[in-house]
């Protein structure tokens, strides 16, 4: 069995359902995932700890569709991502990448940082951070105080 490839994969629009119990994502292949709980509102950015999976979801203005990208996912094969509609971006240590208009992903050491301006993104920006034991859900509700350009 070959190791999964680790290339960038562009996302496709997928279904979103914002519920009282959390955010439901409906993938193109028909599977669904519930990111549990009401996301914590944060300003400017979210930084994931070492070893944490980082998923970024940007909704459209209707909040019924969106695009999701996994950041530095080393486990999922390109074909699975393409079939599900989820994208992937690989960001090297010390680099930054604007993955969607108004959404920047940076890598410092073993930590992923998501910096966003929801007004530029044109929808809501959610960041899900998880590992085998914990899950965190966040919504970036305002741009960084120093503006998004300071992080490009």
């Amino acid at each position: 069995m070959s190791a999964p490839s680790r290339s960038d994969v562009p996302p496709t629009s997928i279904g979103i359902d914002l519920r009282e119990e959390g955010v439901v994502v409906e993938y193109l292949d028909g599977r669904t995932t519930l990111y549990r709980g009401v996301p914590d509102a944060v300003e400017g950015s979210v930084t994931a700890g070492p070893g944490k999976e980082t998923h970024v979801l940007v909704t459209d203005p209707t909040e019924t569709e969106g695009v999701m990208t996994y950041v530095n996912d080393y486990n999922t094969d390109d074909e699975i991502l393409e079939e599900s509609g989820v994208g992937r971006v690989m960001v090297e240590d010390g680099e930054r990448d604007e993955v969607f208009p108004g959404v920047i992903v940076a890598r410092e050491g073993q930590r992923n940082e998501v910096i966003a301006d929801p007004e530029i993104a044109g929808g809501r920006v959610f960041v899900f951070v998880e590992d085998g034991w914990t899950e965190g859900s966040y919504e970036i509700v305002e741009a960084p105080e120093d503006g998004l350009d300071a992080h490009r």
Side-chain angles (χ1 to χ4, degrees):
M1 183 174 183
S2 65
S5 65
R6 296 177 177 150
S7 60
D8 287 356
V9 175
T12 304
S13 185
I14 55 178
I16 306 299
D17 188 7
L18 305 178
R19 298 183 183 173
E20 196 172 291
E21 64 271 17
V23 178
V24 176
V25 175
E26 183 178 344
Y27 302 106
L28 295 180
D29 59 13
R31 292 178 303 116
T32 60
T33 295
L34 170 64
Y35 290 95
R36 291 180 187 89
V38 175
D40 294 333
V42 296
E43 295 180 15
S45 69
V46 172
T47 301
K52 303 282 188 179
E53 295 178 14
T54 309
H55 304 166
V56 181
L57 170 66
V58 180
T59 72
D60 71 351
T62 69
E63 300 177 0
T64 61
E65 292 184 288
V67 286
M68 177 173 272
T69 295
Y70 293 171
V71 180
N72 289 351
D73 171 78
Y74 297 101
N75 300 315
T76 312
D77 191 62
D78 289 5
E79 186 176 325
I80 293 170
L81 292 170
E82 291 163 357
E83 289 173 3
S84 69
V86 174
R88 173 176 49 219
V89 63
M90 303 301 291
V91 183
E92 298 294 325
D93 184 19
E95 293 187 358
R96 297 172 180 275
D97 189 2
E98 190 159 8
V99 295
F100 307 114
V103 181
I104 296 169
V105 174
R107 178 81 169 185
E108 293 298 327
Q110 298 295 312
R111 298 176 184 275
N112 296 321
E113 181 180 22
V114 180
I115 308 144
D117 181 339
E119 193 171 310
I120 294 172
R124 296 173 76 175
V125 179
F126 296 99
V127 180
F128 306 108
V129 178
E130 57 188 42
D131 60 19
W133 294 277
T134 62
E135 295 178 357
S137 296
Y138 307 92
E139 179 180 2
I140 300 176
V141 295
E142 287 188 36
E145 194 172 298
D146 57 354
L148 200 60
D149 285 338
H151 300 275
R152 286 193 166 108

